[in-house]
Amino acid sequence: MSSTTSSSADQQASGRAGPTTAPNNYGPVIVDSATYTITPIPESPSEEDPSLSSAVEALEHLTLREIGNSYIIDTPRAIGHLTDTLLDLPTSPPSLYLSISGTSIARNGSISLIQLLVLPTNRTYLIDIHTLRSSAFTTAGSRGRTFQSILEDAAIPKVFFDIRNPSSALHGLFAISLAGIHDLQLMELATRRRPRSKKFLHGIARCITSDLSLGAYEHRRWRAARSRGERLFLPEFGGGEEVINERPE
């Protein structure tokens, strides 16, 4: 799925000027290169955080279907339990990293999947919006919180790459007003050292090849995964966008 998101992000960002201000409904984002600095992620402490232990323990009670290196969330019970584990996580660095996939990520389009990486537990979840629809956002866990309330909570930082279309789609389709958003695309723009280079936004593929220190093996794996995604989703390679809504029997 990540390769599809990368391709769409490249198409959206190509040749467009970088914004000088953040749109109103995006929540707080960091765009000021004079005040924002990239700091390394600190090493985990030797003693395990009790809140993380409880989060992992709660998820271990779920029957999660493993898809590749991810876990599928496609029932109200599963989304309720997952929501419980997303509370009380560390906020510096952020714990939640999200990406949205669909045939048309727009206000009047559709959302098929939300990919969620929970950094402290190093687990990735595929939240099946095509199956769950609005219940993915409105089902409360045992602590009374919903996934929508987490997305709208300014105190819980969420990291996206290029929040523009996902924000529009979530607001238009599910009346979700995002808050607490850190947009990696804007961060990359803000931290470029040459002022003249800040005229255009970079897509995710450009950022991966330019900013990540990938070894030859990792780079080959990334390119292979991207190529597989293109063959699945792009008509010129015999694929189609509708495949993202197909589910195994």
Side-chain angles (χ1 to χ4, degrees), residues 3-4 6 13 22 26 31-32 41 51 61-62 65-66 78 91-92 104 118 132 144 150 166 194-195 212 227 232 236:
S3 56
T4 306
S6 300
Y26 285 5
V31 296
D32 187 353
I41 297 175
S51 63
H61 290 297
L62 289 176
R65 290 195 293 119
E66 190 169 358
T91 58
S92 182
S104 176
V118 181
L132 291 172
I150 290 176
R194 294 181 299 170
L212 288 183
S227 178
L232 281 173
E236 55 265 38

Side-chain angles (χ1 to χ4, degrees), residues 12-60:
Q12 295 163 10
S14 177
R16 294 206 289 185
T20 56
T21 59
N24 292 334
N25 66 333
Y26 285 5
V29 292
I30 301 172
V31 296
D32 187 353
S33 59
T35 59
Y36 179 75
T37 56
I38 297 178
T39 57
I41 297 175
E43 294 184 0
S44 301
S46 56
E47 295 184 1
E48 188 173 11
D49 188 334
S51 63
L52 297 184
S53 299
S54 61
V56 174
E57 182 179 357
L59 280 172
E60 287 175 347

Side-chain angles (χ1 to χ4, degrees), residues 81-222:
H81 279 284
L82 176 62
T83 299
D84 286 339
T85 69
L86 302 182
L87 304 172
D88 304 322
L89 292 174
T91 58
S92 182
S95 293
L96 306 181
Y97 297 77
L98 301 98
S99 177
I100 292 180
S101 300
T103 56
S104 176
I105 307 299
R107 180 171 296 274
N108 297 315
S110 65
I111 296 175
S112 299
L113 293 171
I114 294 180
Q115 295 90 243
L116 168 65
L117 167 66
V118 181
L119 183 63
T121 59
N122 196 31
R123 288 191 174 187
T124 302
Y125 303 94
L126 300 179
I127 303 174
D128 191 347
I129 307 301
H130 179 70
T131 297
L132 291 172
R133 302 190 184 278
S134 62
S135 65
F137 305 104
T138 59
T139 301
S142 62
R143 302 175 66 178
R145 295 291 298 272
T146 65
F147 190 46
Q148 177 171 350
S149 74
I150 290 176
L151 292 174
E152 295 181 332
D153 192 335
I156 301 177
K158 281 83 58 179
V159 181
F160 283 81
F161 186 96
D162 191 355
I163 192 59
R164 292 170 293 181
N165 284 351
S167 176
S168 180
L170 287 169
H171 189 269
L173 298 172
F174 300 103
I176 294 172
S177 298
L178 294 174
I181 300 302
H182 292 226
D183 190 331
L184 284 178
Q185 189 180 49
L186 293 180
M187 291 182 185
E188 188 278 330
L189 176 73
T191 53
R192 291 180 204 164
R193 295 186 178 182
R194 294 181 299 170
R196 291 186 179 181
S197 70
K198 297 184 179 182
K199 185 176 181 180
F200 298 106
L201 293 168
H202 288 169
I204 193 168
R206 171 77 176 271
C207 291
I208 288 174
T209 56
S210 300
D211 300 319
L212 288 183
S213 300
L214 294 179
Y217 174 70
E218 289 85 0
H219 192 264
R220 285 196 301 270
R221 286 189 62 192
W222 172 73

